[in-house]
C-alpha cells in the first residue's frame, strides 16, 4: 500500500510533462511540394504546403507573380516575366521572405538590352556562345549566347544580309549589291564582290554557306551566285521573270547539302540535289518564309484562304499541304517535327509565338508579345534560339 502514493505522483508528473510539450500544429509557412523542372512565363504553377494562405506576394526581382488562388494547404501563382533561364521565385508574408524556389524557364522570354533601338533585321547564332545581329548600318556581337551585345562593326552602307560560318569568318551584303568578308570575327571587313544587273546594282538579300569555301548569295531580282573559295563568285542562275523593275522581289535563300531554294513574293526557285537545273514554282500568294529541314522536306509560310498558314512539301516543293489552321508567318524547325513560329494577332497589334512537336499539325504554349511588339527573324543553335524584332527587341526561346 505504501507504493500507491508514489504511483499517483508518477502519473501526475507524466501528465504535467505532456501538457508542457510544444503544440504539434506549426505557424511556419512552408512549401513542401517539389518544384517543377521547367516553367514558362505566364504559366500557373500549383504549390502545396502549410499555411500557404498567409503568403501575400510572389516576386522575381521587382516582378510580381499573380496569386490566382490560395488556401492553407495549396496556392497557385502565375510565373511573372523574367529575363534569364534560371531564377528564384520568392514568396513573402508582408515584407518578410518566407520561401525561395529555384526554377528554370523554357519557352519564350524577353532579353533586357540597351545596345540599340533600331529594328534588328537579321540574326544568327553561330554556336552556344557566339551570336551576331544587324540593323541598317551596324553589326552587333554577343559572346555569351545573346545576353549581352557589343557594337562590332559600323558602316555608312545599308546592310541587307549577314552570315557567319564560324566565330571568325563571315560576310555581309548591302543594298547597293556589295559583299564584304571578315576573317577576324567582324573587326574588319573587305569588299569582295559587287552585283551588277543591267548596269544597276541589286541588293544582296541572303547569304548561305556550307563551309568557309562553298557558298551562295541571292540578290533581290532572284539571281544566284556561287563561290568555291569564299571570295570569287560566279552567277549560276539568272531569274527571268522580273516583274517590278528595281523593286525587291526575292527575300530568302536556304541550303541543305546540294538542295537549294529561294523565295520571292510569288515564286520559288528550286535546285534539287544532284541536278544542275533550277525550277520555278509559281505561287498565287505572298511567300513569307522558307526552310529546308532535311533532304526533301520543305516548310514555307504563305497566305492560304486569306490567312497566314504553314505549308509542308515532301517532294522538293512539287506538292504542298497545309499543316494546320494556326497563323504562322516566320518560323524555324530544329528537326522535321520540333519548331517554333510567330504571327500577328488578328488585329495586327502584336506577335504571338507558338511551339510545335508534330511538324506543324498542332501548335501550343503561346507567348504573347506586348502591344506593338513584332518579331523579324528567328535562329537556333540546338534547342536554344532567339527572336529579333522591331525597335531593338530581342527574345530568347528554349525548347523542351
Amino acid at each position: 500500500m505504501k507504493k500507491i502514493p508514489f504511483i499517483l505522483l508518477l502519473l501526475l508528473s507524466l501528465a504535467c510533462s505532456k501538457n508542457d510539450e510544444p503544440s504539434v500544429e506549426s505557424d511556419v509557412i512552408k512549401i513542401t511540394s517539389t518544384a517543377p523542372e521547367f516553367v514558362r512565363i505566364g504559366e500557373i504553377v500549383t504549390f502545396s504546403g502549410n499555411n500557404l494562405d498567409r503568403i501575400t506576394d510572389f516576386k522575381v526581382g521587382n516582378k510580381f507573380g499573380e496569386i490566382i488562388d490560395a488556401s492553407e494547404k495549396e496556392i497557385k501563382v502565375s510565373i511573372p516575366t523574367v529575363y534569364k533561364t534560371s531564377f528564384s521565385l520568392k514568396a513573402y508574408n508582408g515584407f518578410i521572405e518566407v520561401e525561395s524556389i529555384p526554377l528554370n524557364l523554357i519557352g519564350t522570354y524577353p532579353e533586357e538590352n540597351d545596345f540599340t533601338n533600331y529594328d534588328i533585321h537579321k540574326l544568327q547564332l553561330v554556336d552556344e556562345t557566339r551570336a551576331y545581329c544587324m540593323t541598317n548600318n551596324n553589326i552587333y556581337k554577343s559572346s555569351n549566347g545573346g545576353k549581352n551585345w557589343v557594337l562590332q562593326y559600323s558602316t555608312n552602307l545599308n546592310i541587307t544580309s549577314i552570315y557567319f560560318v564560324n566565330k571568325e569568318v563571315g560576310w555581309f551584303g548591302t543594298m547597293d549589291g556589295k559583299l564584304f568578308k571578315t576573317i577576324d570575327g567582324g573587326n574588319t571587313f573587305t569588299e569582295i564582290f559587287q552585283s551588277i544587273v543591267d548596269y544597276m546594282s541589286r541588293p544582296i538579300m541572303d547569304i548561305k554557306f556550307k563551309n568557309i569555301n562553298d557558298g551562295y548569295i541571292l540578290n533581290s531580282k532572284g539571281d544566284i551566285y556561287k563561290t568555291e573559295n569564299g571570295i570569287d563568285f560566279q552567277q549560276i542562275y539568272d531569274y527571268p521573270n522580273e516583274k517590278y523593275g528595281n523593286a525587291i522581289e526575292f527575300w530568302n535563300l536556304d541550303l541543305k547539302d546540294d538542295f537549294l531554294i529561294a523565295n520571292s513574293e510569288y515564286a520559288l526557285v528550286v535546285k534539287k540535289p544532284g541536278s544542275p537545273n533550277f525550277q520555278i514554282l509559281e505561287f498565287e500568294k505572298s511567300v513569307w518564309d522558307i526552310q529546308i529541314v532535311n533532304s526533301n522536306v520543305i516548310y514555307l509560310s504563305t497566305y492560304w484562304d486569306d490567312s497566314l498558314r504553314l505549308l509542308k512539301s515532301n517532294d522538293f516543293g512539287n506538292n504542298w499541304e497545309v499543316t494546320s489552321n494556326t497563323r504562322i508567318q516566320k518560323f524555324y524547325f530544329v528537326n522535321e517535327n520540333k519548331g517554333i513560329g510567330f504571327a500577328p494577332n488578328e488585329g495586327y497589334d502584336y506577335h504571338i509565338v507558338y511551339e510545335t512537336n508534330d511538324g506543324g499539325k498542332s501548335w501550343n504554349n503561346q507567348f504573347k508579345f506586348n502591344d506593338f511588339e513584332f518579331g523579324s527573324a528567328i535562329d537556333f543553335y540546338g534547342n536554344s534560339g532567339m527572336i529579333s524584332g522591331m525597335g531593338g527587341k530581342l527574345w530568347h526561346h528554349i525548347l523542351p
Side-chain angles (χ1 to χ4, degrees), residues 46-65:
T46 301
F47 296 106
S48 58
N50 299 319
N51 302 303
L52 301 186
D53 52 346
R54 291 168 52 193
I55 293 176
T56 57
D57 297 292
F58 281 98
K59 292 175 66 177
V60 178
N62 61 354
K63 301 291 184 180
F64 285 87

Side-chain angles (χ1 to χ4, degrees), residues 10 75 133 140 195 202 212 233 237 267 324 327 334 337 382 387:
L10 180 61
I75 193 166
C133 69
Y140 297 89
S195 170
R202 300 302 299 266
I212 61 173
F233 285 82
Y237 183 70
S324 74
R327 292 163 56 85
V334 298
N337 294 314
I387 303 171

Side-chain angles (χ1 to χ4, degrees), residues 187-230:
N187 293 319
T188 59
F189 282 88
T190 302
E191 182 179 345
I192 61 172
F193 174 84
Q194 183 168 4
S195 170
I196 304 294
V197 179
D198 295 332
Y199 304 102
M200 298 190 67
S201 298
R202 300 302 299 266
I204 295 175
M205 301 306 300
D206 209 353
I207 308 166
K208 289 292 188 298
F209 272 73
K210 298 179 184 179
N211 50 54
I212 61 173
N213 294 316
D214 299 327
Y216 300 83
I217 55 177
L218 169 76
N219 71 15
S220 61
K221 174 182 171 291
D223 297 330
I224 299 173
Y225 297 79
K226 180 181 180 180
T227 181
E228 294 181 351
N229 62 8

